[in-house]
Amino acid sequence: GEDVEQSLFLSVREGDSSVINCTYTDSSSTYLYWYKQEPGAGLQLLTYIFSNMDMKQDQRLTVLLNKKDKHLSLRIADTQTGDSAIYFCAESTSQAGTALIFGKGTTLSVSS
Amino acid sequence: DSGVTQTPKHLITATGQRVTLRCSPRSGDLSVYWYQQSLDQGLQFLIQYYNGEERAKGNILERFSAQQFPDLHSELNLSSLELGDSALYFCASSDNEALNEQYFGPGTRLTVT
């Protein structure tokens, strides 16, 4: 079946790195995504990684994928207070078709 | 701004009523997806339309229906509303099913009293 798990909460200090983790169960995942949701707003697509890649870097964001362990992480370098939000991991699988399967989200709190 | 628009932003209605939520996709996107976000269930896929045709169905109740019009905007109809239908309803659009990058609108917050 399809299931995406994330830890619920992460607290960091401004300037530190944040690492948000996600595990998934469906081995037929084709793409994995990270979305950001700020209070009262919709979901903003941050980045994605194809399932045959190990790593993808995009400015302050680094995505690491361990396909063997079905583990995905999002590292935010030099975390700022503006990064405070809920971060969702999502997968696209051949079984789910075009529907995205989302985790419950990780709330990132950045203190100055 | 994702380019996806949704109206209304907020909707308050009573149990048993029917409402229509509207979504306009990004210019050129043929696919429209509807998701429901609630505290207990998280984000759940409801239904997808592609160029006017239903493409995929998720955990959508029989009381809910959707359609996509020739101008590609979509409407989600929710009827016989129950308290448990209170949630955020998001629309997303995509122009590439293979890559499946979905861009989300700001959502409609539905409150059923």
Side-chain angles (χ1 to χ4, degrees), chain A residues 31 33 35 37 40-43 45 48 88 92 97-100 102-104, chain B residues 33 35 37 40-41 43 45 48 90 97-106:
Chain A
Y31 287 93
Y33 309 81
Y35 282 84
Q37 185 178 29
L43 281 78
L45 177 61
Y48 63 88
F88 291 92
S92 179
T98 51
L100 292 181
F102 284 87
K104 290 276 170 77
Chain B
Y33 307 78
Y35 290 84
Q37 185 180 35
D40 52 343
Q41 295 290 324
L43 267 157
F45 167 70
Q48 179 205 355
F90 286 109
E97 281 196 320
L99 183 53
N100 209 10
E101 283 181 84
Q102 295 184 22
Y103 293 88
F104 282 72

Side-chain angles (χ1 to χ4, degrees), chain A residues 32-77:
Chain A
L32 293 129
Y33 309 81
W34 284 103
Y35 282 84
K36 174 184 180 183
Q37 185 178 29
E38 295 182 71
L43 281 78
Q44 175 194 354
L45 177 61
L46 288 177
T47 187
Y48 63 88
I49 187 167
F50 187 44
S51 59
N52 68 354
M53 296 170 64
D54 298 323
M55 186 180 96
K56 182 178 179 182
Q57 186 146 6
D58 185 358
Q59 299 181 337
R60 291 191 299 123
L61 305 179
T62 303
V63 179
L64 294 177
L65 176 60
N66 182 327
K67 198 168 180 181
K68 175 175 164 287
D69 293 339
K70 299 191 183 74
H71 183 267
L72 180 75
S73 67
L74 174 70
R75 179 177 179 269
I76 306 172

